[in-house]
Amino acid sequence: MTSLLLFYILDLAGTFAFAFSGAVAARNRGLDVFGIFVVAFLVACGGGVLRDVCIGAVPPAGLSDWRYLAISSVAAVMAMYSRIVRERLEAPIVLFDSLGLGLFAVTGAQKAMIYGLTSEGAVILGVLTAVGGGIARDVLLNRVPAILKGQIYALAALAAALIEVVGHRASWPADRRAMAALATCFVLRFLAVRYDWHLPRFVTPPDDEDPRK
Amino acid sequence: MTSLLLFYILDLAGTFAFAFSGAVAARNRGLDVFGIFVVAFLVACGGGVLRDVCIGAVPPAGLSDWRYLAISSVAAVMAMYSRIVRERLEAPIVLFDSLGLGLFAVTGAQKAMIYGLTSEGAVILGVLTAVGGGIARDVLLNRVPAILKGQIYALAALAAALIEVVGHRASWPADRRAMAALATCFVLRFLAVRYDWHLPRFVTPPDDEDPRK
Amino acid sequence: MTSLLLFYILDLAGTFAFAFSGAVAARNRGLDVFGIFVVAFLVACGGGVLRDVCIGAVPPAGLSDWRYLAISSVAAVMAMYSRIVRERLEAPIVLFDSLGLGLFAVTGAQKAMIYGLTSEGAVILGVLTAVGGGIARDVLLNRVPAILKGQIYALAALAAALIEVVGHRASWPADRRAMAALATCFVLRFLAVRYDWHLPRFVTPPDDEDPRK
């Protein structure tokens, strides 16, 4: 029960964090009020919608549960109107974003296995659930997806999805494997931000952008 | 009967207007003959295909009804070969584009409700049907979607989808609510173009492009 | 039997060629190790996943067959680590890419017909299967899709899909029409590369990029 409640809170907090970061990026890129709502919703729900379409779980949860739309809209409004709010929220957003990342990877992989996907398919869809919205955001904002350019971000989601799927196949208790996956993703992401870890790249293009913008 | 015929004509005229605008944009961006056909078809049918995939109405109507392909192809040819045609068609295209926008939002929301989506899901999919093709066009042409950057365009589609869904839940007669939605969308769009209304933005990026190009 | 084996080998070789070209492009664009794997997999499987989602064949084959993931990963590793490998593979990759292009167009159109699509829908989905991954690659790498900008590439896929669908409706033997489609696509693509054929464009944008990069 406790863990169900925890996951529920993390799901809402992660959705908020994803939507907020999308709204800030859209705002800074010069999108209008409507565009900011669209990108906030897309980052929060885009990965899950892609997953649901791929496994045939239609209509996708992101389109049929009003809470995701409501949370995205609140996050968009908060990101739009107040510089103080944006600054105050910076640290908690990084925190909830990391927690949301792990949770989305775990729940995405779980749902894919429930719908009968193979293990490797479930891992791919777990990662897609977690990072699909962020990739869609960067595609709409017309830039190479930041998370494919050196950050330890998609890799942390991959770790979480892998642990969930391997744990499921090995019949670990559901709670324990989800907790292990969440913790691994969070610690990996935390250490990467704290010690400025990056994945290797072979070429640095001249038009390289700051992924934060 | 009359309204069915009217909707049928508007559907074809709107498809033509969407395809034509896509073809002109693709042509001006340096795409080849094949690319112009692709973008014309994508703008005309992309939003509907996304909607159908999300509600599980496969194969999507845009892929199984040859008329959409035929109309898109005619629009592409007309956009390619004659400057005179492009100039003569400029005013009627804006007109039919606005009518198509409202109609696609209404029929998109209707189809989503038929397939059992919630009210908010139906509104989202109505808007997606109307503006999804235009967003896909700008993603392919490698720029930030014009309709998310200040134009009163997606907002007019949102108004139409909202009226259709609210009217449906309130059991208004089908004809009357569709007409109200179409008229609202058209008037809103007309006034926005006429008086140069824009949605507020918070930042104007230096690389801002003319959305017409 | 022989042709089944041939198609099987071509499918794997084509997947490798698509993934390898995607990995090289991602590497040159400054993506990290993880991003290179993602783009390799996307180019190899993206078109097929889009097709499967459109015809309701979920979960898509690209996500449920581990061999595609394995081949993409091997191609990504080979593209990453050795300049000698990249140079040695250049000529065979162009060869297998052309063969894969025709085969994907043929199998894509076949699968669409099996799932009940109309002839024109099957042709569109055949082309989408063959070129969808390459378009997704260019969208992620933030540039206008190279194959829509003058190369005889999508057109060769279109020829293959058309021959397959027309041949199917005309009840030609399955083997013979697939062979005719493959050969046409390959010869068209070979001649286009050999004699530097291009589709006409109407405008050459100033920011034109080399599609190879």
Side-chain angles (χ1 to χ4, degrees):
Chain A
M1 282 308 111
T2 323
S3 72
L4 263 189
L5 183 65
L6 175 69
F7 289 163
Y8 183 66
I9 292 170
L10 280 184
D11 187 39
L12 300 189
T15 300
F16 182 87
F18 275 43
F20 190 85
S21 75
V24 169
R27 181 191 175 284
N28 292 345
R29 192 73 170 195
L31 265 58
D32 64 38
V33 173
F34 190 85
I36 295 172
F37 277 103
V38 168
V39 174
F41 182 69
L42 189 72
V43 176
C45 299
V49 168
L50 286 175
R51 175 205 59 212
D52 286 351
V53 164
C54 278
I55 62 179
V58 290
L63 294 178
S64 49
D65 188 334
W66 64 271
R67 284 171 308 180
Y68 296 111
L69 184 61
I71 291 176
S72 304
S73 301
V74 170
V77 170
M78 287 177 71
M80 261 185 272
Y81 281 111
S82 163
R83 195 160 63 90
I84 295 162
V85 168
R86 279 198 300 282
E87 282 165 7
R88 284 265 166 84
L89 281 179
E90 215 169 272
I93 284 296
V94 170
L95 178 75
F96 288 124
D97 186 88
S98 303
L99 288 169
L101 183 74
L103 186 76
F104 290 177
V106 167
T107 53
Q110 278 175 352
K111 192 166 183 181
M113 285 189 289
I114 290 170
Y115 276 76
L117 260 83
T118 59
S119 296
E120 62 276 11
V123 172
I124 295 174
L125 287 179
V127 176
L128 182 70
T129 307
V131 308
I135 290 181
R137 171 199 66 204
D138 288 344
V139 165
L140 271 198
L141 299 185
N142 197 27
R143 54 193 189 192
V144 177
I147 62 160
L148 302 178
K149 276 169 57 183
Q151 297 190 322
I152 309 274
Y153 190 87
L155 195 70
L158 176 64
L162 261 179
I163 290 172
E164 171 64 26
V165 171
V166 169
H168 183 263
R169 299 301 180 204
S171 304
W172 298 351
D175 262 32
R176 207 165 299 171
R177 66 175 192 256
M179 281 300 175
L182 270 182
T184 306
C185 176
F186 183 73
V187 169
L188 202 52
R189 182 80 189 121
F190 177 82
L191 291 176
V193 171
R194 177 75 181 73
Y195 295 102
D196 204 24
W197 287 350
H198 286 88
L199 284 176
R201 304 155 56 151
F202 300 89
V203 175
T204 307
D207 64 334
D208 202 15
E209 286 175 275
D210 179 358
R212 304 282 165 71
K213 261 193 301 187
Chain B
M1 284 306 111
T2 324
S3 72
L4 262 189
L5 183 65
L6 175 69
F7 290 163
Y8 183 67
I9 292 171
L10 279 184
D11 187 40
L12 300 189
T15 300
F16 182 87
F18 275 43
F20 190 84
S21 74
V24 170
R27 181 191 175 285
N28 291 346
R29 192 72 170 194
L31 265 57
D32 65 38
V33 172
F34 190 85
I36 294 171
F37 277 103
V38 168
V39 174
F41 182 68
L42 188 72
V43 176
C45 299
V49 169
L50 286 175
R51 176 204 58 212
D52 285 352
V53 164
C54 279
I55 60 179
V58 290
L63 295 177
S64 50
D65 188 334
W66 63 271
R67 286 171 307 180
Y68 296 112
L69 185 60
I71 291 176
S72 303
S73 302
V74 170
V77 170
M78 287 177 70
M80 262 185 270
Y81 281 109
S82 164
R83 196 160 63 89
I84 295 161
V85 168
R86 278 199 300 283
E87 281 165 7
R88 283 266 167 83
L89 280 179
E90 214 168 272
I93 284 296
V94 170
L95 179 74
F96 287 125
D97 185 89
S98 304
L99 287 168
L101 183 74
L103 187 76
F104 290 178
V106 167
T107 54
Q110 278 174 353
K111 193 166 183 181
M113 284 189 289
I114 290 170
Y115 276 76
L117 260 84
T118 58
S119 297
E120 61 276 11
V123 171
I124 294 173
L125 287 178
V127 175
L128 182 70
T129 308
V131 308
I135 289 181
R137 172 199 64 203
D138 288 344
V139 165
L140 270 198
L141 299 184
N142 196 27
R143 55 193 188 192
V144 177
I147 63 159
L148 302 178
K149 277 168 56 183
Q151 295 191 322
I152 309 275
Y153 190 85
L155 194 71
L158 175 64
L162 261 179
I163 291 172
E164 171 63 27
V165 172
V166 169
H168 184 263
R169 299 302 180 204
S171 304
W172 297 351
D175 262 31
R176 208 165 298 172
R177 66 175 192 256
M179 283 299 175
L182 270 182
T184 305
C185 177
F186 182 74
V187 169
L188 202 52
R189 182 82 188 117
F190 177 82
L191 291 175
V193 171
R194 178 74 181 75
Y195 294 102
D196 204 24
W197 286 349
H198 287 90
L199 283 177
R201 303 155 57 151
F202 300 90
V203 175
T204 306
D207 64 333
D208 202 17
E209 286 175 276
D210 179 358
R212 303 283 165 70
K213 260 192 301 186
Chain C
M1 282 307 111
T2 324
S3 73
L4 262 188
L5 182 65
L6 175 69
F7 290 163
Y8 182 67
I9 293 170
L10 280 184
D11 187 39
L12 300 189
T15 300
F16 182 87
F18 274 43
F20 190 85
S21 75
V24 170
R27 182 191 174 285
N28 292 344
R29 192 74 170 193
L31 266 58
D32 64 38
V33 173
F34 190 86
I36 294 172
F37 278 103
V38 168
V39 174
F41 181 69
L42 188 72
V43 176
C45 299
V49 169
L50 285 176
R51 175 205 59 212
D52 286 351
V53 164
C54 279
I55 62 179
V58 291
L63 295 177
S64 48
D65 189 333
W66 64 270
R67 286 171 308 181
Y68 296 112
L69 184 60
I71 291 176
S72 304
S73 302
V74 170
V77 170
M78 288 177 69
M80 263 185 268
Y81 281 110
S82 164
R83 193 160 64 89
I84 296 161
V85 169
R86 278 198 300 284
E87 280 165 8
R88 283 266 167 83
L89 281 179
E90 214 168 274
I93 284 295
V94 169
L95 179 74
F96 288 124
D97 186 88
S98 303
L99 289 169
L101 184 74
L103 186 75
F104 290 178
V106 167
T107 53
Q110 278 174 352
K111 193 166 183 181
M113 284 190 290
I114 291 170
Y115 277 76
L117 260 83
T118 59
S119 296
E120 62 275 11
V123 171
I124 294 174
L125 286 179
V127 175
L128 183 69
T129 307
V131 308
I135 290 181
R137 173 199 65 205
D138 288 344
V139 165
L140 270 199
L141 299 184
N142 196 26
R143 55 194 190 192
V144 177
I147 62 161
L148 302 178
K149 276 168 57 183
Q151 296 190 321
I152 309 275
Y153 190 87
L155 194 70
L158 176 65
L162 260 179
I163 290 172
E164 171 64 25
V165 171
V166 169
H168 183 265
R169 299 301 179 204
S171 305
W172 298 352
D175 261 32
R176 207 165 299 172
R177 67 176 192 256
M179 282 300 176
L182 270 182
T184 306
C185 177
F186 183 75
V187 168
L188 202 52
R189 182 80 189 120
F190 177 83
L191 291 175
V193 171
R194 177 75 180 74
Y195 295 102
D196 205 24
W197 286 349
H198 287 89
L199 284 177
R201 303 155 56 152
F202 300 89
V203 174
T204 306
D207 64 335
D208 203 15
E209 287 176 275
D210 179 358
R212 303 282 165 71
K213 260 192 300 187

